[in-house]
Structure formats: structure tokens, C-alpha cells
Amino acid sequence: MSDPNQQRPANGEERPYSLYQRDVFIRGSQGVFPPCTTHPTNLATNLIEKITVRGERYANSNAGLSWTARSNREAFYRYKIIPRMLVNTQIRDLSITLFNRKI
């Protein structure tokens, strides 16, 4: 398997993301998982272990009853990240359409 932290090849080309993604899935099937998580609760737990008490208070501070934070989290849950498997990932299009304009 290739190392996802490997330096760029001498010719200046980037390592294809598909190789990194493949390695993550292969290692996951062997019970070896990436050191980071995308689960909101686990992210918060990992954050608390790494920052100061002052930083934790700042990150967790919400005005009033935290309705805005709750609303933001609920809005986030309405969106689904759909992995694009079995497609060519050599060329990625990071553009978006915003207000009917492709950016």
C-alpha cells in the first residue's frame, strides 16, 4: 500500500486521490482506521483532548439557549454526503452552482 503522507513525486505531479481513498478502504477492512473522525460527537471529544480549557470554553460558547447552534446542526444533518465510488477520480471538478451560476 502507498503512504498517504508520501511526498510528491520528483516530477511534481500529485499522488492520485484514488490511491489514498483505496488505501483507507483496504485498511478499514483490516480494522485499521484513520486517526481522525467525521462523527460530530467524536470530533468534539477529540477536540477537548487537544485544546486548552479556555479554547474549549470558546468553542462551546453559544449565546442564550443555543438555538442557533442547534438549528445549524439540524440543517447539517439534512445534507447527505454521497461518495462517488467506481468513478474516475484522477480529474476532480470542485466547482459548485450557487444562485444558478456555476462557480
Side-chain angles (χ1 to χ4, degrees), residues 44 47-48 51-62 69 73:
L47 175 71
I48 290 169
I51 63 173
T52 65
V53 173
R54 185 176 178 201
E56 178 188 353
R57 288 180 184 153
Y58 175 79
N60 288 327
S61 64
N62 293 303
R73 185 168 285 220

Side-chain angles (χ1 to χ4, degrees), residues 2-67:
S2 54
D3 180 6
N5 298 318
Q6 159 186 347
Q7 298 294 323
R8 288 185 181 186
N11 62 6
E13 293 181 13
E14 291 188 22
R15 182 173 175 265
Y17 183 76
S18 59
L19 293 179
Y20 172 74
Q21 186 178 24
R22 181 199 64 195
D23 290 347
V24 168
F25 283 109
I26 290 172
R27 290 178 180 155
S29 70
Q30 299 167 346
V32 179
F33 302 104
C36 58
T37 179
T38 56
H39 190 280
T41 303
N42 294 343
L43 277 173
T45 301
N46 291 345
L47 175 71
I48 290 169
E49 294 171 356
K50 293 180 170 60
I51 63 173
T52 65
V53 173
R54 185 176 178 201
E56 178 188 353
R57 288 180 184 153
Y58 175 79
N60 288 327
S61 64
N62 293 303
L65 299 174
S66 303
W67 288 109

